[in-house]
Every structure is written in C-alpha cells, then in structure tokens.
Amino acid sequence: GHVVRNWKVRWFVLLQDKLLYYKIEGGKKEPSPKGRILLDGCTITCPCLEYENRPLLIKLKTKTNTDYFLECCSREERDSWALDITGAIHAGHPVQVQELHRMKNSFKLLENISLHHIVERMCDSSTGIKLTHNLEQGNRYKATFTGSSLVDWLISNSFAVSRFEAVTLASMLLEENFIKPVGARSTEATRYSDLSEQFLDDSTALYMFAESSKKNISSREELQFNISELSGTVVKQGFLVKQGHKRKNWKVRRFVLRADPAFLHYYDPTKEENRPVGGFSLRGCLISALEDNGVPAGVKGNVQGNLFKIITKNDIHYYIQASSKAERAQWIEAIKPLT
C-alpha cells in the first residue's frame, strides 16, 4: 500500500503497456481495477532484497519515481512474472526482448570472476547475505542462509543474470570450500547427487560459510609456495582439465611447466590472483597416457578422453585431460625429461 504500508492480496492482469490490479471480494475480483501501473519507462528489480523477511518481491519503479513492491507466492512465480513484465516494458524494442530471452536461456559467467571477491561481498555487514537462525527437522542452526537466498543475492548483486547461472556460481563456491552444507537436505545432495545438482536452489536447503571463509580466504589460498619453485624457466603452459582430489570433479586449470627446478603448477583461471592453487615437484614422477577405451580406476565424472596420469614420488595420483591426443602427447613429451 502507498498510504498505509500494509500488504494486501490483489488480482493482477498484465497488459501490453500496463499492469492492472483488482480487489478481491468474496473470493472474486471486482469488475473494475483498483489501480494500474504504467509500464512505459518503468524499471524492474528482481529479486528485490529490500525487505529481509520477504524474499519473493518484485520492485517496479515508474518513470515518475513511484515504487511498487509486489510479493509472489513462490520464486518460480516471481521469476515468471518478472520475465513477462520485463518483456512488456521492452515490447516496443524487439531486440531487447530477444536479448532478454537469450540471457535467460544461456550461460555465461562473468569473465575473470573472483570467488574471493564474491565471498568478501557476501560477508559485508551491510550489503552481504543475511545470516539467520534456521530450523530443520527440529534442529536449530545458527548463522545460516538458504540455497534460494544465495541465488537471489547473487542475481541482485549482478554476479549472475539467471537462476541457472547463479546456481552454477554457488556450486563453485561449494566446490572450493567457501561455503558448506548444513543439515540433512543440503548434505544429502552433496553426497548423493551429480555434481551439477549438489547445490540446491531451495528455501529448505541450508548452508553456511566454511571456517576458512570467515577470514575471507580459502585454505587453498593459504598454501605457501617457495619462491624457488616459481623461479624456474617456463617450458610450456596451457589449459588442461584436472580431476580434483576431494570431490573428484573436473575443472579447467592453467598449467605452467617449469625447469630448473622442475615443477608443474596449476592456476585457477577464474581468480584474479596470479598464484598457483596447487603444484608439485616433477623429480621422481611417473607420467603415462591412459587409453580411451573405458574409464580407468580412480577416475570419475565427465571424461572426454585424451587422459594422462602423473604419479608423484609421494604416490599422489593426478588425472589430467587434454583437448586432443596431439596435445596430450606434447605435454607428456615436455614433462618426461624433467622427471
């Protein structure tokens, strides 16, 4: 309401250039509209996080700077209304409508996105994600947030343009141990779901910051690399796909091969910091190509082929995918003399 700031049920009808709303009396809408919102020159905000206890809001600001807050019954309904209203706002501009639908159905994360930067923003006391006490199956969890609230926050802070994109970004935060599941709902998804379904865009799935994120740094960033390791001559570098040791998922990494001393380091291309996220000495290592007829033991997930394996002298196994057999052969040929 504009005069009394209360919330009332209204029946909405979206036309090409306006949004009508009707009063409900006796379970039926009245014949004439109670009011209308002219969409010409409107701006829409969805999700709107201005009301902490109302996560299902759409905000419309007219060209006369009047604010309307509309609350839906579910996130699916909210996002559907927001998409249709946005389409009506831009109805006279078909190129913008096409771009809107392309963004909704496509996936493209921001270039050079830094997970550390996102976590820092999430932890901000004024603009970060709101931490609350939540109940699940009789258990009370402190300082948690739901999967859906994180997706909403990522979109509202322009880190993602769609829920699919935000879920993918949240999954990266989960995989890199910035956040962790809390309670049965989210924990079971992590254990038993496919990698693409481990993070839940769900208002009953709970998460919290991992211990390492409380300092806005991950345990991996705390890895200290000896300066001498990184002082060798760069022999070869390029992008390869590496299997993780903990979750057994596959991630693109930029590998840098150095000689004198002989080390192989790998970097996360999504992070701004030019420091390795891992690496090892090549002295005493064994390297071999893996045949493409079947998935070897120890390898899980999406395997496209062109695999090779490096076993360190400490018996740590690294499984790596190249983009082609020729590229795999080039890497093996470059690494072997340094072992």
Side-chain angles (χ1 to χ4, degrees):
H2 288 291
V3 180
V4 181
R5 297 289 181 176
N6 52 358
W7 296 85
K8 299 173 182 177
V9 176
R10 294 288 183 255
W11 179 267
F12 281 82
V13 177
L14 175 62
L15 303 181
Q16 184 172 3
D17 60 346
K18 64 178 72 74
L19 190 62
L20 306 179
Y21 54 94
Y22 297 77
K23 284 184 69 174
I24 302 293
E25 291 291 345
K28 296 181 180 180
K29 73 180 179 71
E30 293 188 334
S32 58
K34 174 74 173 174
R36 67 193 66 208
I37 305 171
L38 299 178
L39 297 178
D40 180 40
C42 257
T43 58
I44 183 170
T45 303
C46 179
C48 172
L49 305 182
E50 291 188 26
Y51 289 82
E52 185 176 336
N53 62 337
R54 294 182 181 273
L56 304 178
L57 290 184
I58 296 170
K59 178 182 178 181
L60 290 175
K61 180 184 284 291
T62 69
K63 65 180 180 181
T64 58
N65 289 324
T66 302
D67 291 340
Y68 290 88
F69 294 92
L70 315 177
E71 184 173 33
C72 301
C73 297
S74 67
R75 281 179 167 82
E76 291 76 19
E77 185 182 51
R78 179 199 64 188
D79 294 347
S80 176
W81 271 100
L83 183 68
D84 290 336
I85 292 171
T86 305
I89 292 172
H90 299 301
H93 307 278
V95 174
Q96 288 183 328
V97 176
Q98 291 177 4
E99 178 67 11
L100 172 72
H101 285 275
R102 185 197 66 77
M103 288 173 62
K104 178 178 180 290
N105 298 313
S106 68
F107 170 68
K108 184 181 179 182
L109 282 176
L110 296 173
E111 294 183 5
N112 301 320
I113 196 163
S114 168
L115 298 183
H116 295 279
H117 174 61
I118 293 175
V119 173
E120 287 178 3
R121 289 280 300 277
M122 287 175 66
C123 292
D124 188 277
S125 58
S126 58
T127 61
I129 192 165
K130 303 302 181 186
L131 303 180
T132 59
H133 292 354
N134 284 286
L135 286 171
E136 186 191 59
Q137 298 179 351
N139 295 317
R140 180 179 291 274
Y141 299 99
K142 298 180 179 180
T144 58
F145 48 87
T146 68
S148 290
S149 65
L150 176 54
V151 170
D152 286 348
W153 185 89
L154 289 169
I155 295 172
S156 67
N157 284 272
S158 302
F159 289 113
V161 297
S162 67
R163 300 196 77 77
F164 173 71
E165 194 167 306
V167 167
T168 303
L169 192 51
S171 299
M172 294 169 64
L173 293 171
L174 185 65
E175 291 168 12
E176 296 293 339
N177 198 37
F178 286 102
I179 63 174
K180 65 180 181 181
V182 180
R185 183 90 172 85
S186 54
T187 301
E188 286 178 5
T190 304
R191 291 175 178 170
Y192 304 116
S193 300
D194 294 336
L195 290 171
S196 60
E197 300 174 348
Q198 288 190 346
F199 180 86
L200 301 176
D201 179 7
D202 191 300
S203 59
T204 64
L206 303 180
Y207 299 88
M208 68 187 306
F209 289 115
E211 287 297 321
S212 56
S213 296
K214 292 180 180 178
K215 301 176 182 177
N216 294 339
I217 53 175
S218 73
S219 57
R220 293 187 181 187
E221 192 181 51
E222 290 172 346
L223 288 172
Q224 297 296 320
F225 292 93
N226 192 308
I227 294 178
S228 64
E229 290 184 25
L230 304 173
S231 64
T233 303
V234 175
V235 176
K236 183 176 178 61
Q237 59 181 313
F239 290 96
L240 298 167
V241 184
K242 172 187 166 295
Q243 179 178 261
H245 291 291
K246 184 179 179 181
R247 295 184 181 275
K248 304 298 183 185
N249 51 350
W250 294 90
K251 298 177 183 177
V252 175
R253 294 290 183 249
R254 180 172 66 88
F255 280 80
V256 177
L257 176 64
R258 293 181 173 89
D260 299 321
F263 275 85
L264 185 62
H265 293 101
Y266 48 93
Y267 299 74
D268 186 343
T270 67
K271 295 178 180 176
E272 298 174 356
E273 301 86 355
N274 189 31
R275 69 172 72 191
V277 295
F280 52 91
S281 170
L282 291 172
R283 294 302 179 193
C285 284
L286 298 175
I287 183 171
S288 61
L290 298 177
E291 297 302 325
D292 294 338
N293 53 351
V295 180
V299 174
K300 297 182 180 180
N302 185 22
V303 180
Q304 304 294 328
N306 307 312
L307 276 170
F308 63 97
K309 177 172 69 171
I310 301 176
I311 305 175
T312 70
K313 63 181 180 181
N314 297 325
D315 200 34
I316 298 174
H317 293 225
Y318 290 86
Y319 294 97
I320 302 170
Q321 295 185 60
S323 61
S324 65
K325 288 186 177 180
E327 185 183 45
R328 176 177 66 180
Q330 291 170 6
W331 274 98
I332 293 175
E333 184 178 345
I335 291 172
K336 265 189 175 179
L338 302 176
T339 60

